[in-house]
Structures are given as C-alpha cells and as structure tokens.
Amino acid sequence: MINTSKQFYGQQENEKILYVVKPHFLATLFNLIKVYIIAVAVFAIFFMMAEIISKEANLLHILGVVISATIFIIGTKFIKSYEKRNVGYITDRRIVRFDPTTFFATNIRTLSWDEAVKVKTFSPNMLYKQAMVGTVVIHARTSVKTTDEEISHSMAADDIELKDVYLYRDLGNYIDKILYTYKQIPAEMKKIRSFIPKPKGKRY
C-alpha cells in the first residue's frame, strides 16, 4: 500500500486520520543545496587537479564531470525519495511515523495515546523559527523517568520525533489537546477536528 493523505500502511479498521505530517519544503531545499554544494566541490577539486597535472587534464575533466553529475542526479533522487516517504500520521488512536533509512527501506514506529505522556516542541535555528518550522517530540511513558519529582525529557527509543514541521508549536498544542481528551474525556475523541495547518484565526 502506498501512503496517502487518506490511508497508510498498517492502518487499523475505522482508524481516523486527523493530520498527515510532512517535512516543510525548507528542509528539502536545504538538503538539495547540500548535495549540489558537494557536487560543485567535487568538480572544482578535479578541475584544480587537472591544472596541476596537465598531462591527465582531459581525463580529470571528464572524471570530474561524470562524478559530480552522478552525485547531483543520485543525490537529488535520494532526497526527493526520502522526503516523499518521510511522513507521519496523527490519528484518533495513535501517532505513526514512517522513517526512510535507504532507497528501499522504511522503518515504521507507532505510539498509542495510552503510552504517550508529554509533548515537546522546539526550533533548530532562527531561520526555521521565523518560518514557524520546528520539531515536535512525543514522549512515551517508558522514556519519562521520575526521580525526586524531576522529569527527564531527553529523546529515548520509544519517543517519536517529527522534524521540519510547519506550525510546530500549534501542532504540539493540538497533540496536547488529544492527549488530554483521550485520557480524561475519551467520549469526546469522536468530536476532535482535524488539524488545519494555517495560522490561528484562519483554520475554520
């Protein structure tokens, strides 16, 4: 099954999708820029080597073009494939995270609302923060350790991390609302609306 906005691999019967989390285009753009910088750097290295070793100049020029073009093409395909498969689903029962590891392999992680206990949001830098793009971490019960009334919120194996999320703070608040509703007034879960990725005041 191909994951879409309406269904995903492993979806349970009558499980309702509330929001599909995909990386913001800034993340794709920056990753592509990194690949292109590497490709240009490789070409420049071979060009400089050709200037130094004049006898093999033509061969080095050809190698530089071939290798940099290969990096450009394969890198672009990998980034686009990764971003396409890098998706999360927030449902009325759990959160599901599809994490691509290679061209062909994708890990699937799930965390039920029963086991989720806390949400943390942050932005990695000022540019992302200005664009309202950041990370949402959903902590599992097993990863939150209580010692002398102090709680540790570091990432652990059972936590789920959603990176490059647009309106990350609002999504964090939305998940907090789900957790409260699911645990305190479960009968109201059926009434929870889907998350609309728009600024406050423009969602409905």
Side-chain angles (χ1 to χ4, degrees):
M1 177 190 292
I2 298 176
N3 294 327
T4 67
S5 60
K6 296 182 179 179
Q7 61 180 5
F8 60 89
Y9 179 80
Q11 186 173 0
Q12 300 169 357
E13 186 176 358
N14 297 323
E15 184 174 13
K16 180 183 177 182
I17 296 175
L18 298 175
Y19 185 56
V20 181
V21 186
K22 296 181 179 179
H24 192 268
F25 79 90
L26 274 179
T28 303
L29 177 62
F30 287 154
N31 287 332
L32 287 173
I33 289 174
K34 291 177 185 177
V35 170
Y36 299 157
I37 288 175
I38 293 173
V40 171
V42 169
F43 177 80
I45 290 171
F46 275 91
F47 184 86
M48 288 187 292
M49 289 174 61
E51 292 296 312
I52 296 171
I53 310 173
S54 57
K55 292 182 180 180
E56 304 293 337
N58 290 336
L59 177 61
L60 289 172
H61 282 149
I62 293 171
L63 284 175
V65 171
V66 171
I67 294 175
S68 58
T70 301
I71 293 173
F72 184 96
I73 294 170
I74 294 178
T76 299
K77 287 185 176 180
F78 179 80
I79 295 300
K80 289 186 176 180
S81 171
Y82 179 89
E83 297 298 344
K84 184 177 180 180
R85 293 180 290 135
N86 183 17
V87 60
Y89 290 87
I90 296 173
T91 79
D92 57 345
R93 301 178 187 178
R94 56 184 174 156
I95 181 166
V96 183
R97 168 91 161 87
F98 291 86
D99 183 19
T101 54
T102 67
F103 268 118
F104 309 103
T106 302
N107 292 332
I108 304 174
R109 302 182 62 194
T110 66
L111 181 64
S112 69
W113 297 129
D114 272 331
E115 293 300 318
V117 294
K118 190 156 183 81
V119 181
K120 177 182 178 182
T121 63
F122 62 91
S123 190
N125 54 59
M126 286 301 298
L127 177 61
Y128 271 47
K129 190 173 184 179
Q130 290 299 315
M132 295 182 288
V133 178
T135 299
V136 179
V137 181
I138 300 90
H139 291 284
R141 188 189 311 278
T142 53
S143 68
V144 178
K145 301 177 181 178
T146 304
T147 306
D148 296 329
E149 297 183 354
E150 293 184 0
I151 300 178
S152 172
H153 301 306
S154 58
M155 276 292 296
D158 294 330
D159 296 342
I160 289 186
E161 184 178 49
L162 303 171
K163 292 183 178 181
D164 307 318
V165 178
Y166 180 54
L167 294 175
Y168 66 102
R169 288 181 176 172
D170 292 340
L171 183 61
N173 292 333
Y174 178 76
I175 294 174
D176 261 334
K177 177 182 177 181
I178 290 177
L179 289 176
Y180 175 81
T181 305
Y182 188 90
K183 295 174 186 294
Q184 302 298 326
I185 43 177
E188 297 293 314
M189 281 297 295
K190 295 180 180 180
K191 298 180 181 179
I192 288 186
R193 293 183 178 183
S194 300
F195 179 75
I196 305 298
K198 293 182 179 180
K200 292 180 179 178
K202 299 181 180 180
R203 294 178 187 169
Y204 301 105

